Amino acid sequence: MDKSLQVICMGLMSHFGLIFFIYPERIIASTHKGHWEPILIQCVIFILFLWLYLKGLSYFPEKNIISILKILGKAFSFTLLFPVLLYLVITTIELVSAYAEVTNIIFLANTPTWAIITLMILISTYIAVKGIETILRTALLIFCIFFPLILLMLSICFQDIDWHNAFPIMDTDFSFFRQPPYYTSFFSFAIVFSFLGFLPKKISYNSKKIMFAVFLLIPFFSYPFIYLF
């Protein structure tokens, strides 16, 4: 199967998890009007930096970021990669804990949170031990199962829309630039497609297909704007 499709599905499902989980709350907290403005600005920045990221990787065919940095020396590569590793570990702990609490509240009220966290870690570890191929195939399977449900839930939300809540439609002061939640909402953009630079050499993907998939993803970032109606 086309590896690009598997990589895209992995990226999209990871983005959906962040979009529907934390992104609306951050955008709503950043401004009370013209919500399409901060969303549009973030999308443009996201597309620009992702294009630069993929462009930079294209200059080093069949190499990932680790291999590229090793050329500059182990000490230099460790200095650059250790903060990334620390960031990923901390965010993984926070996300697993948050998703476990949500699962506990909605589905498994009588189950201890630690048991849900343990199950998540065990399943993730088992898939990871099987290798990157298994991770990508699992991502494709999850995408095929849950993407239709996501579209269904979004279509159901439209029946509660009150278009009058879209006004005032512009924030002429761009006040969201002064709000910390606006900058923390970039978390929904920044972390996901960074995994492209860490894929093994044997996993090849088409950068043009990745960019095309990102443009398809943009409408889902407008979900907070719709959510306000």
Side-chain angles (χ1 to χ4, degrees):
M1 181 174 290
D2 186 6
K3 290 295 187 297
S4 295
L5 178 59
Q6 294 178 341
V7 170
I8 289 170
C9 289
M10 181 175 176
L12 290 179
M13 290 309 299
S14 300
H15 265 302
F16 289 148
L18 295 174
I19 290 173
F20 299 115
F21 188 59
I22 64 173
Y23 189 65
E25 184 270 333
R26 296 291 192 275
I27 291 296
I28 293 170
S30 65
T31 183
H32 300 291
K33 56 184 177 181
H35 293 84
W36 66 272
E37 293 173 320
I39 296 172
L40 178 61
I41 292 173
Q42 286 183 330
C43 289
V44 171
I45 294 174
F46 171 55
I47 292 172
L48 175 61
F49 274 88
L50 180 60
W51 179 81
L52 291 173
Y53 185 57
L54 293 174
K55 189 67 175 178
L57 291 173
S58 67
Y59 288 110
F60 301 91
E62 299 185 355
K63 288 186 177 182
N64 56 25
I65 289 180
I66 298 175
S67 302
I68 295 170
L69 292 178
K70 280 184 178 180
I71 300 174
L72 303 175
K74 292 184 179 180
F76 183 77
S77 60
F78 177 81
T79 302
L80 290 179
L81 291 176
F82 181 74
V84 177
L85 175 62
L86 187 62
Y87 174 77
L88 291 176
V89 170
I90 293 174
T91 52
T92 300
I93 293 172
E94 290 182 349
L95 287 175
V96 169
S97 177
Y99 281 120
E101 290 177 1
V102 171
T103 303
N104 180 259
I105 293 171
I106 299 177
F107 300 107
L108 304 171
N110 297 323
T111 305
T113 304
W114 65 264
I116 300 174
I117 293 176
T118 302
L119 182 61
M120 287 182 174
I121 293 175
L122 289 176
I123 294 174
S124 301
T125 302
Y126 175 77
I127 295 174
V129 168
K130 291 296 182 178
I132 187 64
E133 296 276 359
T134 303
I135 295 175
L136 293 176
R137 287 196 296 268
T138 303
L140 178 60
L141 176 62
I142 293 174
F143 180 86
C144 293
I145 293 174
F146 289 101
F147 185 68
L149 295 177
I150 292 173
L151 294 179
L152 176 62
M153 287 186 292
L154 287 177
S155 62
I156 292 175
C157 290
F158 273 93
Q159 67 181 354
D160 298 321
I161 288 178
D162 182 358
W163 296 103
H164 294 90
N165 293 332
F167 301 96
I169 201 167
M170 294 190 67
D171 181 3
T172 55
D173 296 330
F174 294 95
S175 58
F176 53 87
F177 281 122
R178 299 189 294 271
Q179 302 299 323
Y182 178 65
Y183 296 98
T184 58
S185 66
F186 274 98
F187 174 78
S188 301
F189 292 86
I191 187 174
V192 177
F193 275 99
S194 60
F195 78 89
L196 294 172
F198 295 92
L199 291 175
K201 302 174 185 178
K202 61 180 180 179
I203 305 297
S204 58
Y205 55 86
N206 189 307
S207 297
K208 292 182 179 179
K209 291 182 179 180
I210 298 294
M211 293 302 300
F212 179 74
V214 168
F215 278 100
L216 293 179
L217 181 66
I218 298 304
F220 291 94
F221 278 103
S222 65
Y223 171 72
F225 185 58
I226 298 174
Y227 180 79
L228 293 169
F229 295 161

